[in-house]
Amino acid sequence: MKKVISLLLSLVLVSMIVLPALAAEEECSCGFSPLIYVGPLGCADIVRDAGTENEQKLWKTDTGFFLSNAKNELGGLVKGALLNNPDEFGDALIKFVNDSFGDLALDNDGNSKSNVTVEGLNVPSDGNHGINHSFYFNYDFRLDPYIHAERLNEVIQQVKCLTKHSKVQLKASSMGGVVLAAYLEEYGRSDVEKIICQCCPLWGTAVAGELFNGLVELNADSLRQYAQDALPYLDGGDFLQALLYSLTEAFRVTGVWDGIINLGNKLVENLGDRVFDECLIPIFGSMPGIWAFVPAEYYEGALSFMKIDKSSGLYEQIARYRTAQSNVADNLQKAMADGVRVYIFCGYDVQRTPLVTAWHNTSDGTVDTKYASLGATCADDGSVLEDEYISSLEDKKYVSPDKCIDASTCALPDCTWFNKGWLHCNGQKAIDEFYNTLLQSDEQLTVFSNEKYPQFLKNDDHAETLTPVKGIQTMAERFKEAPSLLNFVKMIIEFFTVTIPGFFRFK
């Protein structure tokens, strides 16, 4: 018996020596850890009655579904508008919204309806990996971010096994940053080699915080600017963009924007409470995933305004994410201290959603720059930081050349970049090249590592370039740098703005 035990012990000792060596021999030697792309909001289809003759996409919805619902309520909408009957108009509008989005609502414990499911959740099945091959992680944006964090951890373990790597790289886009925050809080950073955050609402977004507090404000200037900032990203070419830009300015001069705002304000005044009570609160207020966008300073007010039952499972999920959001900066700092390479990439100088009182925040059009950057001090959109503020800074190396941003107040100022004029998560060749530089580096790069990629960059979607921000430019200088019909029109409008004050307002 003793001989048998001795033999078994010997085999165990041998296995302890041999198996790690064999594992080491099997480990991939490509030098590039697998990349997992954590997708944005809406990265997975949400379907009602999947597999039946009544199957219908509720998110990533086909246009026909909306048009059909609108057609059903068109009579009420037209009649209510013509007769100036807000109740009839509201009945039709609210029914349209509920018919289109109502089935997305979760129950009081944060669970989806049984007939509403997510189709096509990606599951890694092979070990192919490299700079041009990433594993895509998608999810149901409505649900508790910790549910996605648990599945992300499972995917990470599977990818490590498939690729024979001990760590992965994570690139989070937009709401993917919410999933990342929950993952870091729950599972730490031991399996992660590198993190890239692209336009992520790491501390939330003002539009979610303010809407969840009922803070609605319509503003003509912000609506016009929102439309203008989207023009460079429209298909149709330079001529169409220049034409539409001229049209938006004509609307300004003739008062069309003011008329639209007056109409909108009447709708808000007459229907705001009903829309919140009968649509927004029961549908979007039921989603822990959307609650994750609420910044800390809006949270308590939102709980009250959105009428959250603090004894519910939904509240438990909402409250739990508060910890992940409040700790995300600290968790990223700890990750860097442990050797994880961390990069944060934000947009600025784009008009944010013009529906709320914080419409003046500089942003990428969706996420406020101060929240995506974990604390940058930002001038209002279209403005610059006060000279007195800049003069008070001991170190001005983190101040943007155009005086719009002070990055010294960021949680990670040395590895946070700002891309001027970049619409939320919009891709182009030069941005991909920038990411590839980060992904292929074996050391932590900083905003001072490469003259090509300083902290403040300027996005040109048509030319597909990223260039250093040079300072405050006139439109004539911009036209000389990037001659196009759109920039020519902007230059002419700026000329009249200076020559005839008050004729136009130009950003």
Side-chain angles (χ1 to χ4, degrees):
M1 186 63 181
K2 289 183 178 179
K3 290 183 178 180
V4 174
I5 293 173
S6 298
L7 179 60
L8 290 174
L9 288 173
S10 298
L11 289 173
V12 171
L13 289 171
V14 169
S15 67
M16 290 174 66
I17 297 172
V18 173
L19 290 180
L22 292 175
E25 290 178 3
E26 293 179 0
E27 194 168 307
C28 180
S29 59
C30 72
F32 187 87
S33 296
L35 174 63
I36 298 175
Y37 180 81
V38 187
L41 187 153
C43 56
D45 293 337
I46 301 175
V47 180
R48 182 183 62 205
D49 298 325
T52 74
E53 62 180 11
N54 298 318
E55 179 175 318
Q56 176 61 56
K57 282 186 182 180
L58 300 176
W59 201 262
K60 292 189 174 179
T61 313
D62 57 273
T63 305
F65 177 60
F66 286 128
L67 290 178
S68 176
N69 291 335
K71 181 180 178 181
N72 294 335
E73 307 308 323
L74 186 60
L77 290 169
V78 173
K79 186 178 178 181
L82 291 177
L83 298 179
N84 194 25
N85 187 334
D87 288 333
E88 187 166 2
F89 185 89
D91 288 342
L93 175 64
I94 289 167
K95 190 171 187 307
F96 165 74
V97 174
N98 284 324
D99 287 346
S100 300
F101 300 105
D103 283 326
L104 291 170
L106 306 180
D107 65 20
N108 209 35
D109 289 319
N111 299 314
S112 181
K113 294 179 179 179
S114 59
N115 67 326
V116 178
T117 55
V118 177
E119 299 296 297
L121 290 180
N122 293 326
V123 178
S125 58
D126 67 73
N128 292 331
H129 61 284
I131 190 69
N132 296 315
H133 183 98
S134 62
F135 297 88
Y136 192 70
F137 182 84
N138 59 355
Y139 51 90
D140 182 343
F141 74 90
R142 302 173 300 161
L143 303 182
D144 178 3
Y146 278 90
I147 292 175
H148 311 319
E150 181 180 4
R151 185 170 144 259
L152 177 58
N153 182 60
E154 293 170 356
V155 167
I156 287 173
Q157 303 312 319
Q158 190 169 359
V159 166
K160 286 169 55 182
C161 182
L162 288 169
T163 62
K164 309 300 180 185
H165 278 268
S166 60
K167 292 181 182 290
V168 301
Q169 304 182 83
L170 296 177
K171 179 185 175 186
S173 182
S174 191
M175 189 178 181
V178 168
V179 179
L180 172 69
Y183 171 80
L184 291 174
E185 182 65 22
E186 188 73 1
Y187 298 99
R189 60 263 181 197
S190 60
D191 291 321
V192 183
E193 176 186 277
K194 196 172 297 177
I195 293 170
I196 295 177
C197 294
Q198 171 184 265
C199 301
C200 292
L202 297 172
W203 279 350
T205 69
V207 70
E210 300 219 331
L211 286 178
F212 274 33
N213 278 268
L215 301 174
V216 176
E217 180 180 326
L218 303 180
N219 177 276
D221 287 341
S222 65
L223 185 62
R224 174 182 58 86
Q225 192 62 56
Y226 190 73
Q228 291 179 350
D229 284 349
L231 292 179
Y233 298 90
L234 294 180
D235 294 330
D238 190 39
F239 175 79
L240 178 62
Q241 292 166 17
L243 178 64
L244 292 175
Y245 188 93
S246 301
L247 188 61
T248 63
E249 284 297 335
F251 283 178
R252 166 68 175 166
V253 173
T254 58
V256 171
W257 290 122
D258 292 326
I260 293 173
I261 292 302
N262 288 336
L263 177 61
N265 284 331
K266 287 182 180 179
L267 289 175
V268 171
E269 181 180 352
N270 292 322
L271 298 174
D273 291 341
R274 284 193 63 192
V275 170
F276 272 105
D277 290 340
E278 299 177 41
C279 298
L280 294 182
I281 292 176
I283 298 175
F284 296 100
S286 73
M287 302 176 185
I290 299 300
W291 271 93
F293 293 128
V294 176
E297 61 265 37
Y298 294 99
Y299 177 62
E300 291 298 332
L303 289 175
S304 175
F305 181 82
M306 301 297 282
K307 304 172 184 176
I308 295 298
D309 178 3
K310 290 191 176 183
S311 66
S312 67
L314 173 62
Y315 171 72
E316 289 181 7
Q317 295 177 14
I318 293 171
R320 186 183 183 193
Y321 183 74
R322 294 294 102 192
T323 304
Q325 187 190 77
S326 62
N327 289 345
V328 65
D330 188 48
N331 285 334
L332 288 172
Q333 290 169 335
K334 288 178 179 177
M336 285 190 68
D338 286 347
V340 179
R341 296 184 281 286
V342 178
Y343 305 101
I344 298 175
F345 201 35
C346 318
Y348 79 104
D349 197 45
V350 178
Q351 175 65 55
R352 74 120 45 258
T353 315
L355 297 173
V356 293
T357 61
W359 57 264
H360 49 75
N361 287 359
T362 193
S363 72
D364 60 21
T366 300
V367 180
D368 313 76
T369 307
K370 64 180 180 180
Y371 295 134
S373 63
L374 295 174
T377 299
C378 304
D380 288 346
D381 190 42
S383 301
V384 296
L385 296 171
E386 296 287 342
D387 289 339
E388 184 178 355
Y389 172 83
I390 295 175
S391 299
S392 71
L393 298 174
E394 293 184 8
D395 191 345
K396 299 176 179 58
K397 66 181 179 181
Y398 296 105
V399 176
S400 61
D402 58 10
K403 299 183 179 180
C404 292
I405 294 175
D406 170 24
S408 68
T409 54
C410 293
L412 301 168
D414 287 342
C415 53
T416 302
W417 281 261
F418 299 83
N419 192 6
K420 185 174 185 176
W422 183 35
L423 195 64
H424 185 69
C425 293
N426 199 69
Q428 51 111 325
K429 181 178 67 175
I431 293 175
D432 291 340
E433 291 173 353
F434 173 70
Y435 289 146
N436 286 345
T437 299
L438 303 179
L439 289 168
Q440 294 179 96
S441 175
D442 291 329
E443 60 181 4
Q444 173 71 55
L445 300 180
T446 74
V447 295
F448 308 109
S449 297
N450 189 333
E451 290 184 356
K452 184 178 180 180
Y453 301 119
Q455 186 154 46
F456 300 99
L457 296 162
K458 182 181 174 185
N459 185 73
D460 188 324
D461 196 62
H462 283 304
E464 295 192 288
T465 58
L466 283 178
T467 54
V469 171
K470 296 178 180 178
I472 301 173
Q473 289 183 299
T474 65
M475 212 40 247
E477 291 170 328
R478 288 193 225 178
F479 175 69
K480 183 177 180 181
E481 184 179 88
S484 67
L485 183 57
L486 177 59
N487 282 343
F488 177 77
V489 169
K490 289 182 178 181
M491 179 178 66
I492 296 300
I493 291 173
E494 183 181 59
F495 171 75
F496 279 105
T497 301
V498 175
T499 306
I500 312 175
F503 188 74
F504 285 115
R505 287 190 62 189
F506 177 75
K507 174 184 172 181

